[in-house]
Amino acid sequence: NPGKVSELASGLSGKIKTAQVASQKNQAVTDSLARKALGIAPDAPLDGATLQQIRAQAGQQYQAVSGVGAVPTSPAYTQALDDAIKPFTSQSKSFPNRKMPAIVDDIESLKTGSFDAADAIETIKILRNDADKAYAAGDKMAGKAYKSAAGAIEEAIDSHLVNVGAPADMLKAYRDARQTIAKTYTVEKALNAETGSVSATALARDLAKGRPL
């Protein structure tokens, strides 16, 4: 019945258009909330350059802790580095002769009984830069490993600041900067570089893993 077919087609078309409009509105809300979480203007572009700028600004807060001197490490620090390279080293049990990638030695070299805070701040910058380059090249495993290694150093500094009774404002500024940088990576993982839009579904997956934006 041509009339029925036309009616069904018209109804389906209407539903699709309604869904498209709803999707566009929801996308605008998601992008707006992402910008708010990052502390940028409502009309600021969501792209790699913006995220890099936010990281650079947040990283300036790290300079305040660069003068705290020697930072002792703990077994938790060593374990965090082991966890960072575990995706690469876990196979050695079954394949002991398999050559490990260079990133394993690179992160293993970070194991030490203590480190200077100023040197650590520079090392964190390098590790995060290495992570950015790995992600840009499509190597997510290396990117995650470098980012985790940077996080291990950051956590060691945080623990030291607490142990030595660092000023509350210094500790807060440092932690806020860490959180801001972490948010940029959460957004980056959920970002469609071509459209400049953030995927709410990707953010929901992070939320389910205990990493809310």
Side-chain angles (χ1 to χ4, degrees):
N1 186 329
K4 289 292 184 180
V5 172
S6 177
E7 183 180 344
L8 288 171
S10 178
L12 179 60
S13 175
K15 289 181 179 179
I16 292 174
K17 289 179 179 177
T18 299
Q20 289 174 337
V21 170
S23 178
Q24 290 172 354
K25 289 183 177 179
N26 289 338
Q27 185 61 67
V29 171
T30 301
D31 293 344
S32 176
L33 291 174
R35 289 184 175 92
K36 184 177 180 180
L38 294 173
I40 58 178
D43 59 346
L46 283 171
D47 55 24
T50 297
L51 297 177
Q52 287 284 13
Q53 184 178 12
I54 295 171
R55 288 172 197 157
Q57 291 174 344
Q60 293 176 3
Q61 298 295 331
Y62 280 36
Q63 296 305 319
V65 304
S66 62
V68 298
V71 177
T73 60
S74 67
Y77 170 77
T78 302
Q79 184 61 54
L81 294 178
D82 286 338
D83 290 343
I85 57 177
K86 189 175 181 179
F88 303 100
T89 59
S90 59
Q91 57 187 306
S92 63
K93 295 179 181 179
S94 295
F95 306 100
N97 296 320
R98 181 170 169 76
K99 184 178 180 181
M100 290 291 105
I103 188 175
V104 172
D105 286 338
D106 195 10
I107 293 179
E108 283 276 6
S109 70
L110 299 172
K111 292 181 178 179
T112 179
S114 66
F115 54 74
D116 181 75
D119 293 339
I121 296 302
E122 295 305 314
T123 302
I124 289 170
K125 291 179 183 177
I126 294 172
L127 289 170
R128 291 206 174 278
N129 185 61
D130 288 340
D132 289 341
K133 288 192 290 187
Y135 280 123
D139 191 346
K140 294 182 179 180
M141 288 180 65
K144 184 177 180 180
Y146 277 125
K147 191 174 71 169
S148 296
I153 298 176
E154 290 171 330
E155 188 60 34
I157 293 174
D158 188 293
S159 297
H160 180 63
L161 293 175
V162 173
N163 291 336
V164 299
D169 57 343
M170 175 189 289
L171 184 59
K172 183 180 185 304
Y174 175 71
R175 288 178 172 176
D176 287 348
R178 284 189 66 188
Q179 187 178 63
T180 297
I181 291 173
K183 287 178 180 179
T184 65
Y185 282 102
T186 298
V187 170
E188 187 171 49
K189 283 197 306 179
L191 182 64
N192 184 322
E194 295 182 359
T195 64
S197 296
V198 177
S199 168
T201 304
L203 294 180
R205 284 198 295 267
D206 267 2
L207 178 61
K209 296 175 183 177
R211 297 194 294 266
L213 177 60

